[in-house]
Amino acid sequence: MEEFSTEEAVKEAVENAEAMAEENAKAMAEENAEPSEEASAETANESSEESSKEEKEGKKPFKKKEKKKDKRDEQIEQLTDRVTRQMAEFENFRRRTDQEKAQMFGNGQKAIVEKILPVVDNFERGLATVEEGADPFADGMLMIYKQLLTTLEEIGVKPIEAVGQEFNPDFHNAVMHVEDEEVGENIVVEEFQKGYMMNDSVVRHSMVKVAN
């Protein structure tokens, strides 16, 4: 009985020792596994944080560049539009100024010609009473008259055709009407005062008699 009990005690002790050894080995394995998992988790977290940080850092400068580029392009467009508008305004101002200058110059010419025309009328009235070649003084006045007409013609002044032409209120001023069956209706039969034009603009209308 004692031998049997001793063998059983030894067997139980061996089984207990083996169980304890397995538990110790298992515990050590779990302890070794936990830090590795934590380390891997920390490594994964660090890598994810770094990647997110890199993405954030990568996105920010890219946005800044785009923003800076867009702002610069917008400024360029604004400056280009401003320059274009100023050039257009200046061109309009130049054209308007040129037109005003031309109009002022034309009005000045017209005013001077209007003052000269009565002198031309007086030359014609005086020369109409003198025969050409009969008086040296009259011949001299005739030369001056012709020179005056040439000068007026050079600046674009020319007489308006009246006698025999159809009456035109744009060029003729009818001061008298006459019944004449031999002449067509609304035809100028006589000119009392010669009219003149300058560069397609009437300086003075012809004063005429018109047949009804």
Side-chain angles (χ1 to χ4, degrees):
M1 288 295 290
E2 292 180 357
E3 290 180 344
F4 179 75
S5 61
T6 302
E7 290 176 357
E8 290 179 352
V10 170
K11 187 176 180 181
E12 288 177 359
V14 171
E15 290 176 354
N16 292 330
E18 289 177 354
M20 290 177 65
E22 289 178 359
E23 289 178 358
N24 291 331
K26 188 175 181 181
M28 290 177 65
E30 289 177 356
E31 289 178 357
N32 292 330
E34 286 177 1
S36 63
E37 289 177 358
E38 291 178 357
S40 62
E42 290 178 356
T43 304
N45 292 330
E46 289 177 356
S47 62
S48 62
E49 288 177 358
E50 289 178 356
S51 62
S52 62
K53 186 177 181 181
E54 289 176 356
E55 288 177 358
K56 290 180 180 179
E57 291 177 353
K59 288 180 180 179
K60 285 182 179 179
F62 181 73
K63 285 184 178 180
K64 287 182 179 179
K65 287 182 180 179
E66 285 185 352
K67 200 170 184 180
K68 187 175 181 181
K69 184 177 180 181
D70 293 341
K71 187 175 181 180
R72 184 169 54 192
D73 291 341
E74 185 177 353
Q75 290 178 350
I76 291 172
E77 290 179 358
Q78 291 177 355
L79 292 173
T80 303
D81 183 66
R82 186 181 300 174
V83 171
T84 304
R85 290 177 182 273
Q86 288 180 350
M87 290 178 65
E89 290 177 359
F90 176 76
E91 184 66 20
N92 292 333
F93 171 76
R94 187 185 63 80
R95 290 178 181 176
R96 186 169 60 252
T97 303
D98 291 342
Q99 290 178 355
E100 290 177 355
K101 286 181 179 179
Q103 186 176 3
M104 291 174 63
F105 182 75
N107 292 336
Q109 278 187 321
K110 186 176 179 180
I112 294 172
V113 171
E114 285 178 348
K115 293 181 181 297
I116 294 175
L117 290 180
V119 178
V120 176
D121 296 337
N122 290 331
F123 267 108
E124 291 177 348
R125 292 190 187 99
L127 294 173
T129 60
V130 180
E131 295 182 2
E132 186 175 354
D135 188 351
F137 179 77
D139 292 341
M141 292 298 101
L142 180 60
M143 292 177 62
I144 295 173
Y145 167 71
K146 290 181 179 180
Q147 184 179 6
L148 181 59
L149 291 181
T150 302
T151 303
L152 291 174
E153 187 176 355
E154 288 176 354
I155 63 174
V157 179
K158 59 183 180 180
I160 297 175
E161 295 182 3
V163 178
Q165 302 293 321
E166 185 177 0
F167 174 77
N168 187 342
D170 294 333
F171 305 113
H172 308 136
N173 181 19
V175 295
M176 187 178 294
H177 294 271
V178 63
E179 297 291 340
D180 193 342
E181 297 179 356
E182 296 180 358
V183 182
E185 185 179 358
N186 208 31
I187 299 298
V188 176
V189 295
E190 187 177 353
E191 184 180 48
F192 300 112
Q193 187 181 54
K194 190 178 294 185
Y196 290 89
M197 295 183 63
M198 184 179 69
N199 299 327
D200 299 329
S201 177
V202 176
V203 178
R204 188 176 72 182
H205 290 77
S206 300
M207 192 178 296
V208 298
K209 180 194 293 185
V210 182
N212 292 330

